Amino acid sequence: MTDNDYLIAWGLYAFAALGCLLVWFKLTGWMWRYLREPLRVIGAVLLFCPTVIDPVKEKYAPALAISALDLGLKVGNNVWRAALDLSTYGAVALGLYFIFALIRLPFLRKKKARQAHAEAAAAHAAAEQKEDDQPFASQDADRYASTSAEPAKGINSAPGGRYRVEPKL
């Protein structure tokens, strides 16, 4: 295999691996954030982790493909090297992800607090707007309630004992 063929093969593999990673992102899209993101990191490591196949020529191949082919065809001794590379890259990638998640956590909490404060302010503004819709109404709920113990039953009385108020012109 010439160097040009080697680069073309890696380019084709990278294109296919990006497609597989996109499918993996779609498959894990419905999950809880703290389960989805580590699974995506593991998927990326499995797809993009290289391993040495020829130490003399410094030729690399995808570790997942090498381990699957060596185990499936029962040839070669690159399975253990590929498994070691996969576990090493996986541990480093998950460690970096957990550090990133710990750094991101205070920012997410601040964002959630800001959103709760903004929602409370919007609810307060909506309540004030509702009160301002009737500028001449009293703030008291029982402004027109009867002061006597038993309201008079007349033409203008409501079933609840409250009087109907007519506007003055």
Side-chain angles (χ1 to χ4, degrees):
M1 179 180 255
T2 65
D3 286 341
N4 195 22
D5 293 339
Y6 180 71
L7 291 176
I8 289 173
W10 265 109
L12 289 174
Y13 178 79
F15 184 71
L18 283 174
C20 290
L21 192 63
L22 178 66
V23 170
W24 183 244
F25 273 40
K26 290 287 186 183
L27 287 174
T28 59
W30 61 272
M31 294 180 181
W32 179 53
R33 171 188 229 163
Y34 296 108
L35 176 64
R36 174 182 65 221
E37 290 176 351
L39 285 176
R40 287 178 174 179
V41 169
I42 290 170
V45 166
L46 286 174
L47 288 172
F48 294 110
C49 176
T51 189
V52 176
I53 55 169
D54 189 8
V56 176
K57 296 182 183 177
E58 294 184 10
K59 297 284 184 177
Y60 292 91
L64 186 64
I66 291 299
S67 60
L69 287 173
D70 282 358
L71 284 175
L73 300 175
K74 296 182 182 174
V75 294
N77 56 357
N78 292 328
V79 175
W80 295 111
R81 187 179 308 145
L84 180 66
D85 286 342
L86 278 172
S87 63
T88 304
Y89 284 124
V92 169
L94 283 174
L96 290 175
Y97 166 73
F98 285 127
I99 290 171
F100 168 74
L102 288 175
I103 291 171
R104 180 181 62 181
L105 192 63
F107 294 109
L108 290 176
R109 287 185 179 166
K110 277 186 181 180
K111 181 181 176 183
K112 188 181 266 188
R114 276 193 311 254
Q115 286 177 348
H117 180 69
E119 288 174 4
H124 182 68
E128 285 183 0
Q129 178 67 24
K130 189 175 183 181
E131 290 174 4
D132 290 343
D133 283 347
Q134 300 174 357
F136 298 112
S138 171
Q139 301 299 326
D140 299 335
D142 56 347
R143 176 176 158 183
Y144 298 109
S146 173
T147 55
S148 65
E150 214 171 291
K153 301 287 183 187
I155 297 174
N156 290 336
S157 67
R162 297 185 57 113
Y163 293 103
R164 191 172 80 199
V165 177
E166 300 289 334
K168 294 182 181 178
L169 297 176

